[in-house]
Amino acid sequence: MPSSSPNSCCSKRKSVECFEYYPRFMARFPTIDKLARARPKAVMEQWEGLGYYARARNLHALARVVSKTHHGRLSDNPDVLQELPGVGRYTAGAVACFAYEKPVPAVDTNVRRVLTRVFGNAKVGMPNAELWELASRLTPKHGKRAWRFNQAMMELGALVCTARKPKCPQCPVNRHCAAVRSGTRIR
C-alpha cells in the first residue's frame, strides 16, 4: 500500500490541503497492485492538489516494480528499497524503521539539522558520510526503540531545533550542543 501519511506527499504544502486530497488518492489506489495497474494519467489526476508531481510518477513507477518483482510487498531491507524508483537513503531508512521496526537511521532535513548543530559545525555543516555514520551509531539497535528515536529526532528538529529561530533554551540536549557551546548565532 502507498504511504498512509499525507506528510510523505505534501512537503511544503498546507496540511489542510493534504488532508483533503490525500484520502481521495488512497481511496482510489488502496494497494500497491491497484496503483501499479493504473494508467499514468489517472495517477496524475488523483495526485492533483498534493504537489510535486515527480513524486506521483516515482510512486507509480515504484508500485509497478514492487508489484512485478516483489509480489506487491515492499522489502524491509534499506539496501533493497534504495534500488526502487525514487527511493533514496532517507526514504529507505524511514520505510524500514517506521513500517518494519528495523533499527536503521532515517535522516531527513530536520534530523540533519539537529545532528549538525549538536555534534558538528552549524555554520559549515557535516559531510554526508559522516552524518549517516553518526546517525547509525546513535540509532538504538532494537526496532521499537529505533522507531521512537527516529521519530523523536524528527520532531526535535521540526518543533525545537528549527531552521529559523530555534528554541535552544527548551531543547533537551542544549547542554551537549556544539552550536550552543560555541555561541553560534542561528537565525
Side-chain angles (χ1 to χ4, degrees), residues 4-132:
S4 60
S5 167
N7 294 334
S8 64
C9 303
C10 303
S11 191
K12 297 184 183 178
R13 303 282 300 175
K14 292 182 183 176
S15 292
V16 174
E17 291 175 18
C18 294
F19 284 105
E20 178 183 335
Y21 293 106
Y22 189 73
R24 182 186 73 189
F25 184 85
M26 289 302 299
R28 177 83 185 269
F29 308 114
T31 66
I32 288 176
D33 288 329
K34 285 209 184 227
L35 180 59
R37 289 192 308 265
R39 292 181 183 199
K41 184 178 180 187
V43 173
M44 298 309 280
E45 287 171 356
Q46 286 301 128
W47 193 264
E48 190 172 317
L50 292 172
Y52 294 136
Y53 288 92
R55 287 185 179 170
R57 286 187 291 277
N58 285 335
L59 186 59
H60 192 216
L62 177 144
R64 287 182 167 187
V65 170
V66 170
S67 185
K68 187 180 287 184
T69 63
H70 298 278
H71 308 291
R73 183 159 169 79
L74 285 173
S75 174
D76 65 353
N77 181 326
D79 294 329
V80 172
L81 290 166
Q82 284 186 75
E83 295 172 5
L84 297 171
V87 176
R89 195 166 184 185
Y90 160 69
T91 301
V95 169
C97 179
F98 296 126
Y100 297 106
E101 294 185 352
K102 296 294 179 180
V104 296
V107 180
D108 70 353
T109 301
N110 292 317
V111 174
R112 174 180 293 279
R113 183 169 48 267
V114 170
L115 293 177
T116 299
R117 287 178 179 168
V118 173
F119 294 100
N121 184 327
K123 288 210 184 269
V124 297
M126 187 181 288
N128 207 39
E130 185 180 329
L131 181 80
W132 278 92

